[in-house]
Each structure stands twice: as structure tokens, then as C-alpha cells.
Amino acid sequence: MAQDAFEDIVADFEFLDDWEDRYRYVIDHGKAMEPLDDALKVPATKVDGCASQVWLHPRIEGGLFSFEGDSDAMIVRGLISVLRALYNGLPVAEVPRVDAPGELSRLGLNDHLSAQRSNGLRAMIERIRSVASEAA
């Protein structure tokens, strides 16, 4: 069910043996993301439960789900980019059915994120699912 962009990340991770390289890869993905417009960094787009500041701005166009996001922490910006690769472009009704923890486990992230980062990642996934469920 994962998007092609996510499959590309999975394939890239297979070539990176060292976790420092994988962290750098995720951070670089976050750096490559366009920053979220400051006008969209409002309480309605802020994700609670994250140790850092996180904003997700979802869009549904033509029945397809996508979102933009931003964070004040570089690793979290990278995690947002990974989630965008997983969810962006899916039909909105499919978004809640994505097994995000299962897909992300293919990257081994669960074993290498701090408890706070893992909680924040779960909070972002829940926000994405919630928005999509409401729109479906």
C-alpha cells in the first residue's frame, strides 16, 4: 500500500548500513522539503504530543490526500518528509487503512528513535488518520 516515494526511501535505506548515515538521510530529506508558510503555523495545524514544534497542513484535492508540514527540529522535519512519502497522493479513503507502524518498521525507525520522537511520530500519524477519516 506504500507509495512509490516511500518505496524509494526503503530501497535507499537498504544501501545505508550505518544508522548515522540513515539519520543524515532522513535529515537531508527534511532539509529538501519546502518550509511551511508561517501563516499556516497556527494552533489548528499544531500537533500535540511532540517534543518539538510540529505543524501539519492537510489538503484534499480531487479525492487525493496530501499534506505539508514543518518542525523546528531537523530530524522531525525528516520524519515529516518520510510520512509525506507514505501518505501523499493516496485516495483519502485509503489513508486511515495504511499500516504506518508496519511500513515504518521496514526502515527500522522504531528501534532507533527516542521515546519522545516515537511518541511524536505516533501523534503525527494519528493527526493524519483523523483528518482523512473526517474527510472520507
Side-chain angles (χ1 to χ4, degrees):
M1 193 177 248
Q3 295 292 308
D4 289 342
F6 184 78
E7 291 301 326
D8 290 344
I9 293 171
V10 171
D12 290 345
F13 259 54
E14 290 174 0
F15 288 105
L16 300 172
D17 296 325
D18 181 57
W19 265 98
E20 288 298 317
D21 291 338
R22 290 179 177 186
Y23 276 125
R24 236 182 328 276
Y25 176 92
V26 171
I27 289 169
D28 288 344
H29 257 259
K31 287 180 180 177
M33 220 173 39
E34 288 290 321
L36 187 65
D37 187 321
D38 284 342
L40 297 174
K41 294 179 180 178
V42 296
T45 62
K46 190 164 189 241
V47 178
D48 295 324
C50 298
S52 54
Q53 302 285 317
V54 177
W55 300 270
L56 300 180
H57 180 254
R59 290 184 309 243
I60 298 165
E61 296 174 3
L64 299 179
F65 180 85
S66 67
F67 74 93
E68 299 171 293
D70 210 342
S71 175
D72 59 353
M74 291 313 297
I75 187 68
V76 177
R77 276 183 59 86
L79 293 173
I80 291 168
S81 75
V82 170
L83 291 176
R84 290 180 73 207
L86 184 60
Y87 287 109
N88 279 4
L90 285 178
V92 69
E94 286 185 27
V95 169
R97 291 185 277 204
V98 171
D99 177 14
E103 293 294 341
L104 294 172
S105 72
R106 295 170 58 200
L107 301 176
L109 289 174
N110 300 339
D111 300 331
H112 295 277
L113 293 176
S114 68
Q116 284 183 319
R117 294 283 184 242
S118 293
N119 288 339
L121 186 58
R122 277 192 294 280
M124 288 188 281
I125 292 166
E126 286 308 310
R127 171 67 68 87
I128 291 165
R129 287 179 174 168
S130 172
V131 168
S133 293
E134 290 172 12

